[in-house]
Amino acid sequence: MNRMPVAERREQLVEAALTVASRDGIEAATVRAVAAEAGVSLGVVHYCFQDKDELLRAMAHAITERNTVRGLEDLPQGLPPATAIEYAIEAVWASISGTRGSQLLSYELTTASLRSAELNKVAMEQYEGQWAAATQVLEAIGHAADVSWSMDAEEIARIVVAVVDGYSLAWLVDGDAEKALRGLHGLGGYLATLTVPRDGAAATEPATDPALAAPAADPAGAA
Amino acid sequence: MNRMPVAERREQLVEAALTVASRDGIEAATVRAVAAEAGVSLGVVHYCFQDKDELLRAMAHAITERNTVRGLEDLPQGLPPATAIEYAIEAVWASISGTRGSQLLSYELTTASLRSAELNKVAMEQYEGQWAAATQVLEAIGHAADVSWSMDAEEIARIVVAVVDGYSLAWLVDGDAEKALRGLHGLGGYLATLTVPRDGAAATEPATDPALAAPAADPAGAA
DNA sequence: GAGTGACTTGAACATCTGTCCAAGTCAAGT
DNA sequence: ACTTGACTTGGACAGATGTTCAAGTCACTC
């Protein structure tokens, strides 16, 4: 095969590992399968990585970064908060539902990390990445809709990540994207109640209608 | 070893598989490891189960049933809705946080099921069990606090399962039980807004304070 | 107490896995 | 041209895993 410097070869192997593992599961990502996917002979993998675990760590790092970088900087400005939130939720969901294999692989990596000493930090890095990304999205929403949040953004981020995780998992199992998206819009409605106009005062529409906390979760809203 | 009828031996092997897999992960639950854990020789496993997959399916069925049966029938009666909900949440969380290995195994089984044709139905059965259990809990709350729900209980159950799943996963990773429980109490606050007194009329305390939707998620509430 | 059939045993087999390594190939510098 | 060293190759090895099987053991019935 083509010769190339180790650094480049490593990237190629990580890409191949990602392809195999997303398609067939983390268990299928054997050294041989990755080498074959990259069109490279067996020994190359151990020339580029000391361990199989080092390869897996590199793969985990890559997928975490890839899920994180979606910084959602392209939020239209000047929208009302509820609209900005809905927009962000649609974008997040699109990037999840379009990458089923990767999502499933993420969960596989999480559980593998929690069992294996060598993959120790992988799961924590994944979550820190997700919390940071969610915080960033919240701040982008605040900026786009000119609101701030009535709680620490990082604290809200934890809520967002937990709920998104929960619905993603359910969707992976039952394949019902519509229900998942409806649930996420429910989260959006809740988030809207946590916004505060930038110049201070009270929450946007505090006591008008508590059902606003979950408009899309209302059967009438989507059915 | 002691002789025993196949049916009984099967139960023993499922138990052993559960022990090994909860302790060391699903990958560690090899035929040999399970046989050793049960104090039985290798051939017995294939005498009782046609496949390793059949053993895993039986194990999955057992753990699903075990997580489901916690019907929470012992809810004190006559409580105000918010209190009944908090009580139920504490109980649910206690049964989760007390069985870390089993929880982790559940997620491992879910991902394994989504990758393997042989374990096809395992994940869906898990979720159907959880949704049913959540529905049961919601009805128990309704009965204990003499309220009904402003949405289909099954629809709320999906929300509950998603959020509980999300916080459980985060807790498995970061080990922060306090934050998880706080998040679940936030869910509880939200659920309280979905209750309706049994004789009809409006929601319990609809417009008084929207912050009630997440009282425990408020930093001041727990810190 | 002999026989029957349910249960048990552990060796054996084929396959797969991560890892190693001796030999090979190639590009660049002298 | 030749040397050096980075990169590649694929065979070899040890260990683990699922599965099979012929032989053994025991309880129970007639």
Side-chain angles (χ1 to χ4, degrees), chain B residues 23-223:
Chain B
R23 187 194 337 115
D24 303 324
I26 198 177
E27 291 198 11
T30 66
V31 176
R32 279 171 179 81
V34 171
E37 177 74 30
V40 150
S41 80
L42 186 56
V44 171
V45 178
H46 280 93
Y47 180 77
C48 297
F49 298 92
Q50 211 176 13
D51 257 349
K52 183 197 174 182
D53 286 320
E54 191 181 320
L55 168 60
L56 285 186
R57 280 194 296 268
M59 187 186 78
H61 197 266
I63 199 178
T64 297
E65 222 174 23
R66 210 160 298 186
N67 282 347
T68 297
V69 169
R70 324 194 169 225
L72 207 50
E73 303 296 349
D74 55 333
L75 255 185
Q77 304 294 306
L79 298 174
T83 310
I85 290 170
E86 267 193 36
Y87 188 99
I89 282 179
E90 295 279 348
V92 166
W93 177 247
S95 93
I96 289 174
S97 62
T99 58
R100 207 193 110 103
S102 288
Q103 296 304 315
L104 189 40
L105 174 57
S106 281
Y107 291 112
E108 290 177 298
L109 275 170
T110 303
T111 58
S113 165
L114 295 176
R115 293 288 192 190
S116 146
E118 283 81 11
L119 304 181
N120 228 353
K121 303 170 184 168
V122 166
M124 198 58 191
E125 283 172 4
Q126 279 182 309
Y127 265 78
E128 275 167 355
Q130 281 186 283
W131 289 324
T135 304
Q136 227 176 313
V137 170
L138 288 172
E139 277 162 7
I141 291 172
H143 187 258
D146 200 40
V147 293
S148 54
W149 298 95
S150 62
M151 269 191 249
D152 270 2
E154 287 174 15
E155 199 154 356
I156 305 180
R158 272 188 82 100
I159 300 174
V160 170
V161 168
V163 176
V164 170
D165 254 16
Y167 279 114
S168 297
L169 249 176
W171 164 72
L172 285 172
V173 172
D174 74 359
D176 194 329
E178 196 184 317
K179 278 186 183 158
L181 188 51
R182 224 196 302 169
L184 290 182
H185 275 128
L187 169 65
Y190 172 68
L191 292 180
T193 69
L194 302 179
T195 57
V196 181
R198 264 278 155 76
D199 13 74
T204 44
E205 298 176 355
T208 47
D209 187 3
L212 187 137
D218 187 326

Side-chain angles (χ1 to χ4, degrees), chain A residues 100-176:
Chain A
R100 206 192 110 104
S102 288
Q103 295 304 315
L104 189 40
L105 174 57
S106 281
Y107 291 113
E108 289 176 299
L109 275 169
T110 303
T111 58
S113 165
L114 295 176
R115 293 288 192 190
S116 145
E118 283 80 12
L119 303 182
N120 227 354
K121 303 168 184 170
V122 166
M124 198 60 193
E125 283 172 2
Q126 279 182 310
Y127 265 77
E128 275 167 356
Q130 281 186 283
W131 289 324
T135 304
Q136 226 176 313
V137 170
L138 289 174
E139 277 162 7
I141 291 172
H143 186 258
D146 199 39
V147 294
S148 54
W149 298 94
S150 63
M151 268 190 249
D152 269 1
E154 288 174 15
E155 199 155 356
I156 305 179
R158 273 188 82 99
I159 300 174
V160 170
V161 169
V163 175
V164 171
D165 254 16
Y167 279 114
S168 297
L169 248 176
W171 164 71
L172 284 172
V173 172
D174 73 359
D176 193 330

Side-chain angles (χ1 to χ4, degrees), chain A residues 16-205:
Chain A
L18 226 32
T19 302
V20 174
S22 297
R23 183 188 346 110
D24 303 324
I26 198 177
E27 291 197 13
T30 66
V31 176
R32 278 170 181 80
V34 171
E37 177 74 30
V40 148
S41 80
L42 186 57
V44 171
V45 179
H46 279 94
Y47 180 76
C48 296
F49 299 92
Q50 212 176 14
D51 256 351
K52 182 197 176 184
D53 286 321
E54 191 182 319
L55 168 61
L56 286 186
R57 279 193 297 267
M59 185 185 81
H61 196 265
I63 199 179
T64 297
E65 222 174 24
R66 210 161 298 187
N67 281 348
T68 297
V69 170
R70 322 195 171 225
L72 207 51
E73 304 295 349
D74 55 333
L75 256 185
Q77 303 295 305
L79 297 173
T83 311
I85 290 170
E86 268 192 37
Y87 187 99
I89 282 179
E90 295 279 349
V92 166
W93 177 245
S95 91
I96 289 174
S97 63
T99 59
R100 206 192 110 104
S102 288
Q103 295 304 315
L104 189 40
L105 174 57
S106 281
Y107 291 113
E108 289 176 299
L109 275 169
T110 303
T111 58
S113 165
L114 295 176
R115 293 288 192 190
S116 145
E118 283 80 12
L119 303 182
N120 227 354
K121 303 168 184 170
V122 166
M124 198 60 193
E125 283 172 2
Q126 279 182 310
Y127 265 77
E128 275 167 356
Q130 281 186 283
W131 289 324
T135 304
Q136 226 176 313
V137 170
L138 289 174
E139 277 162 7
I141 291 172
H143 186 258
D146 199 39
V147 294
S148 54
W149 298 94
S150 63
M151 268 190 249
D152 269 1
E154 288 174 15
E155 199 155 356
I156 305 179
R158 273 188 82 99
I159 300 174
V160 170
V161 169
V163 175
V164 171
D165 254 16
Y167 279 114
S168 297
L169 248 176
W171 164 71
L172 284 172
V173 172
D174 73 359
D176 193 330
E178 197 184 318
K179 278 185 183 158
L181 188 52
R182 222 195 304 167
L184 289 182
H185 275 129
L187 168 66
Y190 173 68
L191 291 180
T193 69
L194 301 179
T195 59
V196 182
R198 264 278 155 77
D199 13 73
T204 43
E205 298 175 354

